[in-house]
């Protein structure tokens, strides 16, 4: 006998594309609203899900919702609509899309073990050192965080509860109540705001954006201008306008820890007006993120600044979305739910009827193409606000000019000159560590990661060989394991080696290094930036990190090493990326005073990515690159989907991919099927990987194929996993 009862459709945290229905018991009817997290029985387990629909219906055979985990919905109907769109577009289960959107740890059914409560906080006891390698790993990670709660630790290290308990028993970890640390970005003293009059281009841009804010309509803009052309000032004014209209603003940045200056300018402008700013970033604990989320849901916060996942910030009435440095590849999530935050920002803007402003000095091909097609309005800020002329760029031809160590003679001379003038130097080498590999010069043995198809990077400071993909590490061998020879030498160069060489070349210079190794601990990045700002550093060496976010007014010279290895990556976007990175880093020279110089060392001085970067000419690069893309049907002139197959044995994966490819041939219409072929990184974290690339000039045939493909996916052998990457950004 069926009865009519209250039913909830729940998106569960499991890799399943269907929603599951549960009966809502009387006692929970008032709280189990759409957007609330619930505990539900699932097979023999209890898991977390989110209610996405509620209705009266037939409850025959339905199980019951066990518990509601929130007193207010975490997602409103509008945001849920965006998440559903994303689940559909990226072919990813809605429950796991929601998991990515919510602050970390909220979709786990936490069993309450000794240390699993969110309140209990783990700190290192420096007097007790553990024995095991894994224990050490966990401890040094906690130490780098300055302490962490169990949820955070678990999200970093899968299922370590027993390991953690053991560490507590051993006295290496101490538990305590968490002190509420203030958000490091919000704890800094407020800088003074400046009152200024917009120039004509800024005014023009602001008027156009403001019109769309007022009319409450979706429209997308590209705000294009070099660093220092006044983009941030336009953002600030547009946000003020948006608040005036009673709506809220969302600002996305590539990596918030690298852009403290942007955050403090927003604070300086809006805090005196009584506005609160919420920042969403990885430095927050799980609890702090949950708190921030709830205050945004309640409408207590009108300005949210955050990285990639902040595109899902639950602002009830967004009136403006800004994506700063829209070309930055960190907007695309590389694993799991492989969404692109810039693309989703555009979708969200369309769904919620608000303008979206994409800002960049070096826009992506994708965005420039949208402008060309009239789907996006170009607003350009052609000049630097503070007259400073653009730097002069010299391409150092390594075919004719010899190197002394890692640097060309002319660059060494230029550095000496700048040091004499007491100004600063930036040197970019986009590879961390001392050397990319170690080689036995007697027998030719090199050292590879046992889990990945890649050489181990030699890190001198840490005295270790490290895999940059899976973090495997090993001791530095004294003898070659193959021939017992002692002639083992590091080959090639990373930032550590460059730093060492500079110390010898310029013994009186104060040298700092900025890369992932030197910025691991809290506050270390800010410390380096501060050192530069206060002129305690003469030469800053670093990876692409030094090209981001900050404004170093005293830099008079920028040098780029290893530009060629950027150009030679096996990816059709390598030229686009190199151009963007080189143009960005070149733009750091002579910010305040003008007359900056840039040296790019290369064997390919005729390469368009280099000549256009040297001319700081974004349009020329676009015009040069587009025909190649068009010819090959690559984005932005066509659409790609990458299917990645992975498993424990090469044959099994290869065979499964071959069979899959043959089946696809019978299903595909107007879709080109390329492969299968081994992924450029054939083995990664112990898994063998093959890929099939799907290409089409329009999206609908790709969509149809993905839908029809479901049956073929179901036939894959259990041992082979498939990952679907829609609009892939890199093909590794
Ligand atoms: P971007 O975001 O493009 O790098 P900013 O908005 O940060 O540029 O502007 C660069 C500098 O110029 C900042 O110090 C800013 O305060 C200042 N500035 C911006 N617009 C103006 C203006 N119209 N008049 C005077 N100074 C300005
Ligand atoms: Zn590895």
């Amino acid at each position: 006998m069926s009865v009519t009862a209250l039913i909830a459709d729940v998106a569960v945290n499991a890799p399943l594309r269907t929603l599951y229905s549960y009966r809502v018991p009387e006692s929970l009817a008032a709280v189990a609203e759409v957007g609330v997290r619930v505990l539900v029985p699932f097979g023999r387990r209890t898991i977390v899900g989110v209610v996405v629909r509620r209705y009266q219906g037939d409850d025959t055979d339905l199980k019951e919702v066990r518990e509601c985990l929130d007193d207010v919905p975490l997602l409103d109907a509008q945001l849920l609509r965006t998440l559903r769109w994303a689940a559909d577009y990226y072919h990813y289960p809605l429950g796991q899309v929601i998991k990515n959107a919510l602050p970390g740890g909220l979709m786990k059914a936490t069993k309450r073990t000794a240390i699993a409560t969110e309140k209990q906080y783990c700190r290192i006891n420096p007097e007790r050192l553990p024995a095991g390698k894994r224990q050490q790993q966990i401890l040094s990670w906690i130490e780098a965080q300055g302490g962490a709660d169990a949820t955070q630790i678990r999200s970093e290290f899968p299922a370590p509860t027993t390991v953690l308990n053991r560490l507590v028993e051993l006295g290496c970890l101490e538990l305590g109540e968490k002190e509420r640390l203030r958000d490091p970005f919000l704890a800094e003293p407020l800088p003074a705001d400046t009152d200024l009059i917009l120039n004509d281009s800024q005014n023009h841009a602001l008027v156009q954006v403001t019109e769309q804010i007022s009319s409450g309509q979706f429209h997308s803009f590209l705000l294009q201008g070099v660093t220092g052309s006044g983009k941030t000032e336009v953002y600030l004014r547009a946000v003020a306008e948006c608040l005036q209209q009673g709506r809220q603003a969302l600002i996305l940045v590539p990596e918030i820890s690298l852009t403290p200056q942007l955050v403090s300018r927003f604070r300086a402008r809006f805090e005196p007006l009584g506005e609160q700013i919420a920042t969403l970033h990885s430095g927050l604990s799980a609890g702090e993120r949950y708190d921030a989320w709830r205050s945004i849901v309640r409408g207590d916060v009108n300005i949210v600044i955050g990285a990639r996942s902040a595109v899902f910030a639950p602002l009830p009435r967004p009136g403006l979305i800004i994506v700063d440095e829209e070309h930055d590849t960190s907007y695309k999530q590389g694993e799991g739910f492989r969404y692109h935050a810039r693309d989703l920002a555009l979708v969200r803007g369309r769904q919620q009827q608000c303008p979206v402003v994409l800002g960049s000095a070096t826009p992506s091909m994708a965005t420039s193409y949208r402008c060309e097609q009239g789907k996006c309005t170009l607003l350009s800020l052609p000049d630097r606000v503070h007259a400073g002329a653009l730097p002069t760029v010299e391409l150092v031809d390594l075919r004719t000019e010899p190197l002394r160590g890692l640097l060309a003679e002319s660059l060494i001379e230029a550095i000496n000159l700048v040091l004499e003038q007491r100004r600063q130097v930036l040197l970019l080498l986009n590879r961390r560590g001392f050397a990319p590999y170690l080689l036995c010069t007697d027998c030719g043995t090199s050292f590879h990661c046992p889990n990945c198809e890649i050489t181990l990077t030699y890190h001198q400071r840490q005295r270790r060989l490290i895999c940059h993909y899976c973090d495997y590490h090993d001791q530095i061998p004294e003898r070659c394991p193959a021939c017992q020879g002692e002639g083992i030498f590091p080959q090639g160069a990373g930032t550590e080696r460059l730093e060492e060489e500079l110390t010898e070349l310029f013994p009186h210079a104060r040298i700092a290094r900025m890369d992932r190794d030197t910025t691991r601990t809290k506050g270390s990045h800010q410390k380096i930036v501060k050192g530069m700002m206060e002129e305690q550093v003469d030469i800053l060496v670093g990876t692409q990190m030094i090209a981001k976010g900050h404004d170093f007014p005293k830099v008079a010279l920028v040098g780029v090493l290893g530009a060629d290895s950027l150009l030679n990556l096996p990816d059709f976007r390598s030229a686009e990326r190199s151009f963007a990175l080189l143009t960005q880093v070149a733009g750091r020279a002579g910010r305040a005073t003008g007359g900056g110089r840039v040296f790019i060392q290369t064997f390919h001085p005729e390469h368009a990515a280099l000549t256009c970067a040297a001319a700081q000419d974004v349009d020329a690069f676009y015009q040069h690159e587009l025909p190649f893309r068009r010819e090959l049907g690559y984005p932005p002139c066509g659409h790609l989907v990458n299917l990645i197959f992975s498993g424990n044995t090469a044959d099994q994966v290869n065979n499964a991919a071959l069979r899959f490819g043959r089946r696809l041939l019978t299903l595909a219409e107007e879709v080109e099927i390329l492969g299968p072929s081994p992924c450029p990184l054939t083995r990664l974290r112990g898994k063998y990987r093959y890929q099939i690339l799907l290409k089409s000039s329009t999206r609908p045939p790709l969509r149809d194929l993905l839908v029809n493909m479901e049956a073929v996916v179901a036939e894959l052998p259990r041992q082979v996993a498939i990952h679907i990457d829609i609009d892939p950004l890199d093909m590794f």
Side-chain angles (χ1 to χ4, degrees):
M1 255 299 282
S2 66
V3 284
T4 298
L6 182 59
I7 315 257
D9 283 353
V10 176
V12 294
N13 179 23
L16 299 158
R17 297 270 284 286
T18 33
L19 298 177
Y20 291 82
S21 304
Y22 293 88
R23 175 174 45 227
V24 179
E26 196 90 17
S27 58
L28 296 179
V31 268
E33 288 179 65
V34 169
V36 162
R37 288 178 305 144
V38 288
L39 277 180
V40 292
F42 197 80
R44 265 183 251 155
R45 296 176 302 147
T46 300
I47 61 176
V48 181
V50 171
V51 177
V52 297
R53 207 158 82 89
R54 242 171 86 109
Y55 52 95
Q56 296 288 330
D58 179 357
D59 69 349
T60 316
D61 293 336
L62 291 189
K63 293 180 181 164
E64 253 184 19
V65 172
R66 291 252 163 88
E67 212 181 299
C68 287
L69 299 176
D70 304 302
D71 44 6
V72 289
L74 295 182
L75 304 166
D76 67 13
Q78 288 285 346
L79 182 51
L80 208 48
R81 190 168 148 218
T82 308
L83 295 171
R84 285 195 137 157
W85 189 96
D88 185 53
Y89 182 80
Y90 290 105
H91 278 252
Y92 208 70
L94 181 58
Q96 298 196 319
V97 166
I98 293 175
K99 177 183 174 177
N100 274 268
L102 289 176
L106 288 186
M107 291 292 272
K108 279 182 196 152
T110 38
K111 287 207 192 70
R112 292 173 215 290
T113 60
I115 53 167
T117 68
E118 291 210 356
K119 295 232 172 52
Q120 281 194 298
Y121 206 60
C122 305
R123 272 189 209 83
I124 304 290
N125 175 3
E127 287 165 19
R128 297 293 293 262
L129 293 171
K133 204 168 185 175
R134 181 157 176 77
Q135 294 178 339
Q136 263 172 20
Q137 254 179 12
I138 295 178
L139 283 179
S140 45
W141 182 81
I142 297 175
E143 192 179 9
Q145 307 294 307
D149 62 38
T151 319
Q152 282 176 303
I153 300 170
R154 266 201 308 270
S155 66
E156 196 73 16
F157 301 92
T161 310
T162 52
V163 184
L164 288 186
N165 283 334
R166 181 83 191 121
L167 287 172
V168 174
E169 269 171 42
L170 289 170
C172 307
L173 265 187
E174 289 169 346
L175 298 183
E177 285 294 298
K178 185 173 72 187
E179 57 197 288
R180 264 198 90 78
L181 296 170
R182 284 206 53 189
D183 186 333
F185 297 105
L186 301 186
E188 285 192 359
L190 209 60
D193 192 16
T194 40
D195 209 6
L196 36 82
I197 299 164
L198 295 187
N199 63 32
D200 288 349
S201 340
Q202 284 174 314
N203 245 326
H204 172 76
L206 182 65
V207 166
Q208 293 230 30
V209 176
T210 307
E211 254 170 38
Q212 298 302 324
I213 296 173
S214 311
S215 68
Q217 278 180 22
F218 167 71
H219 192 85
S220 65
F221 296 97
L222 167 61
L223 185 61
Q224 180 175 342
V226 296
T227 339
S229 59
K231 295 187 295 296
T232 311
E233 188 56 38
V234 174
Y235 300 158
L236 288 161
R237 304 278 177 128
V239 167
E241 191 58 40
C242 169
L243 302 193
Q244 281 280 316
Q245 309 264 340
R247 296 179 81 178
Q248 306 153 327
L250 173 60
I251 299 105
L252 301 183
V253 294
E255 207 169 330
I256 202 158
S257 63
L258 300 184
T259 47
Q261 286 170 347
L262 183 123
V263 175
S264 45
R265 282 177 67 188
F266 271 84
R267 289 186 56 216
R269 182 73 46 99
F270 293 105
E271 283 188 1
L273 307 176
E275 289 294 344
Q276 247 197 75
I277 295 170
T279 57
L280 299 173
H281 56 86
S282 54
L284 299 181
S285 74
E288 284 165 333
R289 246 177 286 183
Y290 183 55
D291 290 349
W293 185 276
R294 286 167 36 113
S295 64
I296 299 169
V297 167
R298 283 195 304 265
D300 294 348
V301 177
N302 287 324
I303 302 172
V304 175
I305 305 178
R308 182 172 62 219
S309 66
V311 71
F312 304 116
L315 291 165
R317 296 179 316 282
L320 173 66
I321 304 176
I322 292 167
V323 183
D324 192 30
E325 310 289 355
E326 67 86 26
H327 64 279
D328 198 290
T329 52
S330 68
Y331 283 123
K332 167 95 174 168
Q333 181 148 297
E335 293 195 326
F337 173 35
R338 297 164 189 246
Y339 67 98
H340 199 304
R342 180 242 290 140
D343 297 349
L344 285 184
L346 292 168
V347 170
R348 197 168 173 194
R350 185 185 300 277
Q351 290 181 336
Q352 303 204 326
Q353 298 291 301
C354 76
V356 178
V357 177
L358 311 177
S360 179
T362 52
S364 60
M365 293 288 293
T367 298
S368 295
Y369 190 68
R370 293 187 73 244
C371 285
E372 199 178 88
Q373 293 190 311
K375 292 180 184 165
C376 183
T377 303
L378 173 65
L379 305 170
S380 65
L381 303 181
D383 307 307
R384 282 184 173 180
V385 173
H386 299 293
L390 286 173
T392 53
V393 184
E394 292 157 53
L395 298 175
V396 180
D397 188 345
L398 296 179
R399 291 170 306 191
T400 53
E401 192 178 334
L403 291 171
R404 186 179 349 149
L406 298 171
L407 304 178
E409 234 19 278
S410 56
L411 178 53
I412 295 176
E413 244 169 64
I415 294 176
N416 270 320
L417 209 63
V418 167
L419 292 177
E420 270 167 33
Q421 298 165 341
R422 309 232 152 270
R423 293 169 74 195
Q424 293 171 315
V425 179
L426 277 188
L427 291 177
L428 170 77
L429 174 56
N430 201 22
R431 184 182 269 148
R432 66 193 170 92
F434 188 86
Y437 65 105
L438 262 191
L439 182 75
C440 170
T441 50
D442 293 337
C443 75
T445 295
S446 56
F447 298 80
H448 291 262
C449 175
N451 310 315
C452 309
E453 185 110 336
I454 200 96
T455 54
L456 294 166
T457 303
Y458 175 62
H459 284 251
Q460 190 168 64
R461 198 67 58 87
Q462 300 178 55
R463 302 223 36 80
R464 274 180 176 167
L465 293 173
I466 302 177
C467 172
H468 284 184
Y469 286 89
C470 74
D471 278 338
Y472 169 89
H473 45 74
D474 205 349
Q475 311 282 343
I476 309 241
E478 280 174 15
R479 292 168 169 279
C480 171
C483 74
Q484 306 303 318
E486 289 179 16
I488 307 177
F489 298 103
Q491 305 290 317
T495 46
E496 252 188 78
R497 181 174 226 159
L498 177 58
E499 186 187 13
E500 187 181 281
E501 198 174 294
L502 290 168
T503 320
E504 285 161 20
L505 279 171
F506 310 101
H508 302 298
R510 295 161 300 174
I511 300 165
R513 171 160 62 94
M514 183 191 281
D515 55 28
R516 259 210 291 142
D517 296 316
T518 63
T519 54
R520 231 175 260 281
T521 55
K522 246 184 194 168
S524 49
H525 176 265
Q526 272 126 303
K527 218 156 126 191
I528 301 172
V529 171
K530 202 159 162 254
M532 281 295 282
M533 299 305 269
E534 293 174 357
E535 295 176 61
Q536 290 150 5
V537 173
D538 302 310
I539 305 178
L540 178 64
V541 174
T543 55
Q544 36 124 14
M545 252 185 207
I546 60 169
K548 290 188 179 179
H550 23 67
D551 180 2
F552 299 129
K554 287 279 179 156
V555 169
L557 172 65
V558 169
V560 180
L561 285 67
D564 295 339
S565 60
L566 297 170
L567 293 173
N568 290 329
L569 290 176
D571 191 314
F572 72 88
R573 285 193 183 86
S574 65
E576 177 179 352
R577 295 222 181 113
S578 309
F579 170 75
L581 177 57
L582 297 177
T583 308
Q584 296 270 353
V585 73
R588 309 276 140 182
R591 284 294 299 277
T593 47
R597 295 176 80 187
V598 180
F599 286 71
I600 301 176
Q601 300 187 170
T602 177
F603 285 98
H604 305 286
E606 71 295 335
H607 195 294
L610 300 186
T611 54
C612 294
Q616 303 266 296
D617 193 338
V618 172
D619 295 334
F621 178 75
Y622 176 79
Q623 297 304 342
H624 179 270
E625 179 71 8
L626 196 69
F628 293 110
R629 304 285 180 92
R630 185 165 281 139
E631 175 85 6
L632 296 167
Y634 279 145
C637 308
H639 305 280
L640 296 178
V641 171
N642 199 15
L643 306 176
I644 302 149
F645 300 84
S646 68
N648 292 331
T649 61
D651 276 354
Q652 207 165 34
V653 180
N654 188 15
N655 288 336
L658 278 169
R659 236 174 298 133
F660 200 98
R662 278 198 294 271
R663 287 290 307 276
L664 283 187
L665 280 176
T666 65
L667 296 173
E669 278 173 49
E670 295 172 60
V671 175
E672 218 179 309
I673 298 172
L674 306 166
S677 55
C679 296
L681 258 174
T682 315
R683 195 153 166 265
L684 184 65
R685 295 186 195 99
K687 301 283 185 200
Y688 288 90
R689 304 156 77 243
Y690 282 76
Q691 64 190 16
I692 294 178
L693 197 60
L694 310 178
K695 194 168 89 176
S696 175
S697 56
T698 57
R699 285 188 196 280
L702 277 173
R703 267 205 63 80
D704 292 347
L705 181 58
L706 289 175
V707 171
N708 294 332
M709 196 179 86
E710 295 286 306
V712 192
V713 171
E715 288 168 17
L716 273 175
R718 222 173 249 258
Q719 300 87 337
V720 176
I722 180 170
H723 302 280
I724 302 174
D725 192 353
I726 311 285
D727 308 328
L729 255 203
D730 63 45
M731 309 285 189
F732 293 104

